[in-house]
Amino acid sequence: MGRVQTFETDVVVRAARAVFWQRGFEEASIPELEQATGLRRSSLYNTFGSKRGLFDAAVASYLREVIAPRLRPLTEAPVGADAVVDYLMGMRAGLDDPEADAARHGCLLMNTAGAPVAMEQAVGEAVAAYREELRRALASGIAARHPEAGERERGRLAEAVTALVTSAFALTRVDNAAALRSLDAALDLVD
Amino acid sequence: MGRVQTFETDVVVRAARAVFWQRGFEEASIPELEQATGLRRSSLYNTFGSKRGLFDAAVASYLREVIAPRLRPLTEAPVGADAVVDYLMGMRAGLDDPEADAARHGCLLMNTAGAPVAMEQAVGEAVAAYREELRRALASGIAARHPEAGERERGRLAEAVTALVTSAFALTRVDNAAALRSLDAALDLVD
DNA sequence: TATATACTGGAATGACCGTTACGCAAATAT
DNA sequence: ATATTTGCGTAACGGTCATTCCAGTATATA
């Protein structure tokens, strides 16, 4: 064995994730990532192989540390009747807080949906998979809230609420008020 | 007077618009724009001042020639009871046609919402204004279809349908099927 | 026909990009 | 204590970017 890594990979990825989140993949430059992570190019390339490699790690970290915890009450049984509403209100609070990353920069994945890097198949698939995960989670929350409704009805509702949430994410950067109204509309729909 | 312009500005802007649409602002390079327009850098800079100037012209052209015509049945009185449904179905057909720009590249403005250039205030405002115009148009279409509903109810519905449409635009690049389902959900909502 | 106008072509500029190469320093295993 | 593995710092690479400059040319007016 030789010299051991002196930084914690998770910490570095988290720092890089913040840069990608607020700047987007193509606008985030290597010097910026160096400064944010406190690592030099050589270490970044040695650890992640390329800028894309670092971005992929950032996306994985985002799914694991940002998205999954928020979705957990909707994905792990038992799902309470208030889980959907809690989720939507939590997100509303996040988008209403000017300090929060979500309010200022939306969703890392939704932002990349319209970015050039989304043309690369793997990235596009990651975005699509994320949306599907969100839809499934919302669907189970809706099922818990409206057990009496028909499956078709619930499916439509889940689709609509998913779209409202993604729309809020996509818009908060340029029109925070509209994003909040989207979530209000979602809250209306589920009741 | 001296020598006169040998190209039609509208035609050039339309060609540039197509490049921005499919490639995004930052990924569209000057050489690409030269090739698409058939003009040299000097002429482009002489006419539009900068890449941003050309982009602004492209956005204006997009609003005038692509968006406005589609919205017209919803914005100019009299608005028929079927106008909303026609609009949504027309859009659905567009997103379902693999040849169409809309299906392959979504909406020029929605794509820029998540792009770095959206950080520039004027661009962000243009996107927000577009969304608001869409919402107003859909609201008037919904009012024509459901004159019996309360204003509050119609407002919520308009908000939801707007979000579903923008969500469809934002996603079609990476997940065309999900975009279509969004529009189906919108069609469900208006009836 | 003369002249003013401004479009056009081509080359050059400086900055920044992501990536790579290399040598030294550090820390573990034998 | 030595050998070996690996992190890390520095510097350089080739390429592309948006932008500018200038000379040459075509055309509309007087």
Side-chain angles (χ1 to χ4, degrees), chain B residues 18-47:
Chain B
V19 175
F20 285 126
W21 198 345
Q22 66 179 125
R23 301 269 295 148
F25 174 75
E26 19 275 319
E27 284 293 294
S29 69
I30 301 291
E32 254 175 319
L33 292 164
E34 282 182 303
Q35 189 166 8
T37 59
L39 264 55
R40 300 277 182 181
R41 301 157 138 62
S42 54
S43 303
L44 290 176
Y45 276 87
N46 189 39
T47 310

Side-chain angles (χ1 to χ4, degrees), chain A residues 80-146:
Chain A
D82 290 336
V84 205
V85 175
D86 290 346
Y87 172 81
L88 291 172
M89 288 184 66
M91 170 152 307
R92 213 210 110 100
L95 288 188
D96 204 13
D97 173 12
E99 299 290 316
D101 279 335
R104 295 199 297 179
H105 309 114
C107 167
L108 173 58
L109 282 164
M110 283 306 300
N111 289 349
T112 68
V117 72
M119 296 293 194
E120 304 196 20
Q121 200 184 0
V123 177
E125 281 170 5
V127 178
Y130 157 66
R131 200 206 111 106
E132 177 57 17
E133 190 184 335
L134 175 62
R135 195 197 58 78
R136 288 176 66 92
L138 289 170
S140 80
I142 286 168
R145 188 166 193 85
H146 297 293

Side-chain angles (χ1 to χ4, degrees), chain B residues 32-189:
Chain B
E32 254 175 319
L33 292 164
E34 282 182 303
Q35 189 166 8
T37 59
L39 264 55
R40 300 277 182 181
R41 301 157 138 62
S42 54
S43 303
L44 290 176
Y45 276 87
N46 189 39
T47 310
F48 302 101
S50 67
K51 188 182 174 186
R52 253 303 297 284
L54 179 54
F55 180 72
D56 291 344
V59 168
S61 154
Y62 180 76
L63 288 172
R64 181 167 16 90
E65 298 182 3
V66 180
I67 299 297
R70 290 213 171 196
L71 251 40
R72 196 155 297 137
L74 290 165
T75 51
E76 286 183 1
V79 178
D82 290 335
V84 205
V85 175
D86 290 346
Y87 171 81
L88 291 172
M89 289 184 65
M91 171 151 308
R92 213 210 110 97
L95 288 188
D96 205 13
D97 173 12
E99 299 289 317
D101 279 334
R104 294 199 298 179
H105 309 115
C107 166
L108 173 58
L109 281 164
M110 283 305 300
N111 289 349
T112 69
V117 71
M119 296 292 195
E120 303 195 21
Q121 201 185 359
V123 176
E125 282 170 5
V127 178
Y130 157 66
R131 199 206 112 105
E132 176 58 16
E133 189 183 335
L134 175 63
R135 195 197 58 78
R136 288 176 66 93
L138 289 170
S140 79
I142 286 168
R145 188 165 192 83
H146 298 293
E148 78 290 353
E151 186 155 349
R152 227 184 123 69
E153 172 71 17
R154 292 192 312 224
R156 289 172 180 175
L157 191 54
E159 199 65 50
V161 174
T162 305
L164 286 160
V165 171
T166 58
S167 167
F169 274 144
L171 276 169
T172 184
R173 262 190 178 174
V174 297
D175 191 349
N176 182 255
L180 292 177
R181 275 185 273 120
S182 264
L183 288 179
D184 289 336
L187 281 161
D188 275 343
L189 276 183

